Amino acid sequence: MDRRHFMGQSAAVLGLLAGLSTQARANLPKAEILVIGGGYGGATAAKYLRLFSNNTARVTLIEPNTAFVSCPMSNLVIGGSRSLAEMTSPYDTLSKRHGIKIIQDSVSNIDAEKKMVKLASGKTLRYDKLVVSPGISLNMNSIEGLAQANKDGVTLQAWKAGPETVALHKQIAAMREGGTFALTIPEAPYRCPPGPYERACQVANYLKQHNPRGKVLVLDANQDIVSKGALFKKAWAEQYPGMIEYRPKSNVIGVDAKNKTLKLEVEDDVKADVLNVLPQMAAGEIAIKAGLANSNARWVNVNFLNFESTARKDIHVLGDAIQIAPLMPKSGHMANQHAKVAAAAIVAELSGWEVNPAPVLTNTCYSFVNDREVVHVASVHQYNAAEKTFKTVPGSGGLSPAPSILEGIYAWGWARNIWADSLG
């Protein structure tokens, strides 16, 4: 699927583009719209606010990084088959092609009463509508000793693609012959439900080629594999026999970085050569600081018709930071879809139109079980007005029957298309 078809299909599924052209010109130019965060949610929202308003909305994207780095596909970097550069995209197309003002900075405070945002550099910006797409924060203090171990570079998370992704691969490559790589998974919800199990595949695939006596130990706080369970278990048994050990209901409560030891809630301590510890996750720091995280102080409740925070008016929150609807994954694809619904709703609200009462979202998620073969899960989610949430459409989507190289080609097609859709 090329970029034009991908964009067209996304818009058609959402039912958003019709009628959103000339009328928007009347009111939108007066409004200041700020977008915090340039990930799958924020970058897409900024772009589609311009597209849906026929390029009349004034949109400013605030993002501290100079380029977008995709978390989806980054497990391949940990497995050594791909580079981080292959999943990195510049932001400048958003300004050159779409007229979005980009400020390279981070937000230190949101004043919802005054509708002001303060930047780390000290500058303040006014907004009429604010889109917050901060991704996740990692609660390093949820596991004893983890914060310092991570700060020292001994125990890495690599759950936000970037330098730690590359560093973790180096740790695996330097592991002694016959050593053990231990990966811990927090209790759901967390970003990218199948991500940890894909990571286990990628590390095993690397060890199979370079350190065949090496082991992968997966310590999962959940009752069982959270996503694509049967497919992962089959791949582990057939492609990595005896190499991957999976332990469900194994909750890690402490890290002894000096002795490379994990302390478990119930079981005996575990010693390994490389520790990849994923702690509990929550909405990005700025969402929590701004008082938006009103679901167990971790996630942001939103009105699913426009993704406006239920805690603060005119602040719309997207992506992994929100309290998800039933069976709605915290995925890059889903953040892209949140962004389009929110962008259309914001354009409608500022133009005095009715917000689309029946949005539809799609999700697709690919997982590499080695460096070429892939499995996927897909789903369609329809807004349910009676329950004010999204519900999975019965019979929609589904799972791969088995890993295949063809799906690996599809996975790269998906990635390149969604990067172009969000940033191109």
Side-chain angles (χ1 to χ4, degrees):
M1 185 184 297
D2 61 24
R3 176 173 168 269
R4 177 176 296 177
H5 286 96
F6 182 86
M7 289 174 61
Q9 187 180 74
S10 296
V13 169
L14 291 164
L16 301 173
L17 284 178
L20 297 184
S21 55
T22 56
Q23 294 179 64
R25 295 172 184 160
N27 300 317
L28 278 168
K30 301 175 184 176
E32 291 286 351
I33 306 175
L34 303 183
V35 179
I36 299 175
Y40 280 98
T44 305
K47 176 178 170 179
Y48 275 81
L49 280 161
R50 291 285 292 168
L51 292 176
F52 288 164
S53 68
N54 203 23
N55 297 321
T56 60
R58 287 194 292 188
V59 180
T60 300
L61 174 65
I62 305 165
E63 164 59 45
N65 297 310
T66 56
F68 165 88
V69 182
S70 176
C71 280
M73 314 300 276
S74 66
N75 275 331
L76 296 174
V77 179
I78 291 170
S81 63
R82 294 284 182 167
S83 71
L84 206 60
E86 292 178 89
M87 44 210 74
T88 300
S89 304
Y91 285 115
D92 57 358
T93 303
L94 291 176
S95 55
K96 293 176 181 176
R97 185 174 296 170
H98 301 290
I100 297 164
K101 182 180 179 180
I102 299 177
I103 297 177
Q104 188 183 344
D105 206 333
S106 56
V107 174
S108 60
N109 191 48
I110 298 171
D111 187 334
E113 298 299 324
K114 296 180 179 177
K115 290 193 170 184
M116 300 290 288
V117 162
K118 185 173 184 179
L119 305 181
S121 61
K123 187 176 181 180
T124 56
L125 302 172
R126 183 188 68 81
Y127 67 83
D128 295 291
K129 285 285 190 178
L130 179 64
V131 178
V132 180
S133 188
I136 55 163
S137 59
L138 300 167
N139 186 0
M140 294 293 179
N141 294 321
S142 64
I143 297 175
E144 182 184 2
L146 178 59
Q148 189 62 47
N150 181 255
K151 185 178 180 181
D152 294 341
V154 178
T155 302
L156 303 175
Q157 43 83 18
W159 213 239
K160 297 182 179 181
E164 283 202 22
T165 309
V166 177
L168 182 58
H169 172 69
K170 290 180 178 176
Q171 286 190 352
I172 295 164
M175 194 169 74
R176 69 178 175 86
E177 185 178 350
T180 297
F181 168 86
L183 167 64
T184 78
I185 305 171
E187 191 172 359
Y190 56 83
R191 163 181 277 179
C192 189
Y197 315 107
E198 179 192 54
R199 178 168 294 185
C201 292
Q202 290 307 304
V203 176
N205 186 58
Y206 177 85
L207 295 178
K208 188 177 177 180
Q209 300 171 56
H210 302 281
N211 188 350
R213 291 177 52 234
K215 302 289 184 183
V216 176
L217 173 62
V218 182
L219 299 169
D220 192 344
N222 297 286
Q223 297 287 320
D224 201 350
I225 292 177
V226 172
S227 177
K228 308 172 191 169
L231 289 167
F232 279 121
K233 287 179 179 177
K234 190 170 187 293
W236 293 349
E238 293 179 352
Q239 300 195 26
Y240 312 108
M243 181 173 275
I244 298 177
E245 178 183 351
Y246 177 70
R247 296 187 192 175
K249 297 181 282 187
S250 296
N251 187 33
V252 175
I253 59 173
V255 174
D256 180 348
K258 182 179 179 180
N259 296 303
K260 296 285 185 72
T261 300
L262 298 171
K263 298 177 182 178
L264 301 178
E265 189 173 34
V266 177
E267 303 160 81
D268 293 338
D269 294 353
V270 169
K271 190 175 176 63
D273 299 274
V274 176
L275 306 179
N276 181 199
V277 180
L278 305 180
Q280 287 183 353
M281 301 178 195
E285 289 89 350
I286 190 60
I288 293 174
K289 186 177 180 181
L292 301 173
N294 54 357
S295 177
N296 296 324
R298 289 178 66 189
W299 309 108
V300 179
N301 285 314
V302 297
N303 174 353
F304 283 113
L305 279 180
N306 61 3
F307 286 83
E308 185 178 48
S309 158
T310 60
R312 301 290 187 184
K313 184 173 172 50
D314 292 323
I315 298 180
H316 302 252
V317 186
L318 313 175
D320 296 340
I322 71 166
Q323 175 60 55
I324 52 177
L327 300 179
M328 175 187 284
K330 292 182 180 292
S331 70
H333 192 124
M334 190 55 78
N336 170 281
Q337 299 280 289
H338 294 171
K340 291 171 182 172
V341 171
I346 290 169
V347 169
E349 290 169 1
L350 291 173
S351 303
W353 304 337
E354 180 188 5
V355 171
N356 178 10
V360 179
L361 310 176
T362 63
N363 182 70
T364 305
C365 172
Y366 292 97
S367 299
F368 282 78
V369 299
N370 54 44
D371 57 350
R372 299 179 68 196
E373 292 183 307
V374 166
V375 294
H376 85 273
V377 62
S379 54
V380 179
H381 306 255
Q382 168 79 59
Y383 182 75
N384 184 301
E387 299 183 39
K388 297 183 179 179
T389 189
F390 280 94
K391 303 293 285 286
T392 304
V393 176
S396 67
L399 284 162
S400 305
S404 73
I405 292 174
L406 181 60
E407 288 219 39
I409 296 170
Y410 293 161
W412 277 107
W414 170 87
R416 291 175 180 126
N417 275 298
I418 200 168
W419 296 338
D421 185 47
S422 299
L423 298 141

